[in-house]
Amino acid sequence: MFDEIQFEKINRLPKYIFAQINELKMNARRTGEDIIDFSMGNPDGRTPQPIVDKLCETANRDKTHGYSASKGIYKLRLAMTKWYKRKYNVDLDPETEVVATMGSKEGYVHLVQAISNPGDVAIVPDPTYPIHSQAFILAGANVEKMELVFNEKTFEVDEDRFLADVEDALENSVPRAKFLVLNFPHNPTTATVTLDFYKRIVALAKEKRFYIISDIAYADLAFDGYKTPSILEVEGAKDVAVESYTLSKSYSMAGWRVGFIAGNRKLIGAVQSIKSWLDYGMFTPIQVAATVALDEYGHIPEEEVLPRYKHRRDITVEAFTQAGWPLEKPRASMFIWAKIPEVARHMGSLEFSKQLLVQAGVAVSPGIGFGKYGDEYVRIALIENEKRIRQAARNIKKFLKALEEEKKHG
């Protein structure tokens, strides 16, 4: 009888493609194989000691062990507004224009749950970080996909094409789309945009009457002189936009789950309201430590974290290219969006990722897991050290040579 009961919300979710790679990876490790893992964007760096010390100090105070503030303690929200002022010269009200979230992913889901009505439509570029589209599905809304077009050498978004595609998506969506999701620097493609792009998209949002949800999780990880802009730098952006940020990558605090959403008062108010029903906020000592991170250790992302990722980016591009897999250098994020080598492109990203793991002991994320326009690519996360990167390159070189031989004699 219970087999007849259906959970339609879960049934609307697609099969989790990454699970197939994870299963192969775990099976290989159980048999003692060494897997060099570039598949998940999980920072390997230690959280800076002063931030850990502040957490421990605060946790030793008995009064910090009770329920916290769901929207974030005031000092943390104030620190978040100071971060925006320092980095982008943007003024925000800590009471009405900022909400602390348990990581940017969870905050994003809470936002979408709060503002989506059944049947609403959101425009989401493809490829995309999966939750950017699936959060709307979980909320009973719908997603209108549009291809994200960018220069494959420089990873700069074709901004004219993007604006035109948004207008087309607005015309094609029924009912007309209410939301547009942006994520630059982009996960998975590493694509970037200019401040002028945000000016144009804000103007379009005001003209066509839709809200913008911008995710700048990788704002601090920008290389070679590129500086990540914020949509909130645009005059009047707070009329139509919110933006999310996280300490996960910038401060190597992924497991701490600390982020925030800032911008439009109506949308921020909706998140604050739904969080008051759904959670009691982060553990107070985590919030205090995050406050100290933002207020006193703002130099850490640029001076300690960014150089690590830049070095790994450079080594990976050099070593993999020499191994026969040409890669281009991204200008931002902690990933490389790598086109599958020509000899293996016919496999598609899922099969290529499986073969790479089984034959070369190297794990990557298949591009198809991020959307149909990602199937000629894989995502490489810069989470292994130089020694491991060079070993992966040696393994890949053997793997590609074997494929070439097989093709030659096939």
Side-chain angles (χ1 to χ4, degrees), residues 22 32 159 193 255 299:
N22 291 338
E159 297 180 0
V193 295
H299 62 281

Side-chain angles (χ1 to χ4, degrees), residues 143-210:
V143 173
E144 179 79 19
K145 293 287 187 72
M146 55 171 261
E147 182 181 4
L148 178 62
V149 180
F150 56 93
N151 185 305
E152 293 191 5
K153 292 285 186 183
T154 65
F155 297 98
E156 295 170 314
V157 168
D158 184 334
E159 297 180 0
D160 291 336
R161 168 76 180 270
F162 191 100
L163 270 291
D165 287 347
V166 169
E167 294 205 56
D168 286 344
L170 287 168
E171 294 301 321
N172 294 333
S173 58
V174 180
R176 177 181 278 258
K178 189 185 290 185
F179 309 106
L180 168 66
V181 177
L182 303 178
N183 169 215
F184 300 110
H186 189 253
N187 180 11
T189 71
T190 78
T192 57
V193 295
T194 63
L195 182 58
D196 185 61
F197 168 81
Y198 284 134
K199 291 177 181 177
R200 296 170 67 189
I201 207 74
V202 166
L204 184 64
K206 290 185 175 185
E207 177 191 347
K208 302 291 186 178
R209 301 182 63 80
F210 61 85

Side-chain angles (χ1 to χ4, degrees), residues 83-84 88 184 198 212-216 229-233 241-245 260-264 268:
W83 181 86
Y84 259 104
Y88 294 117
F184 300 110
Y198 284 134
I212 300 167
I213 304 171
S214 171
D215 176 0
I216 56 168
S230 163
I231 196 169
L232 299 183
E233 291 180 88
V242 289
E243 191 161 69
S244 64
Y245 174 78
F260 57 89
I261 303 175
N264 181 270
I268 296 300

Side-chain angles (χ1 to χ4, degrees), residues 40-45 248-249 252-254 308-309 312 334 383:
M40 186 177 177
N42 190 7
D44 65 319
S248 292
K249 277 64 178 185
S252 298
M253 292 171 65
R308 182 189 313 138
Y309 286 117
R312 291 177 179 179
M334 59 180 290
I383 55 171

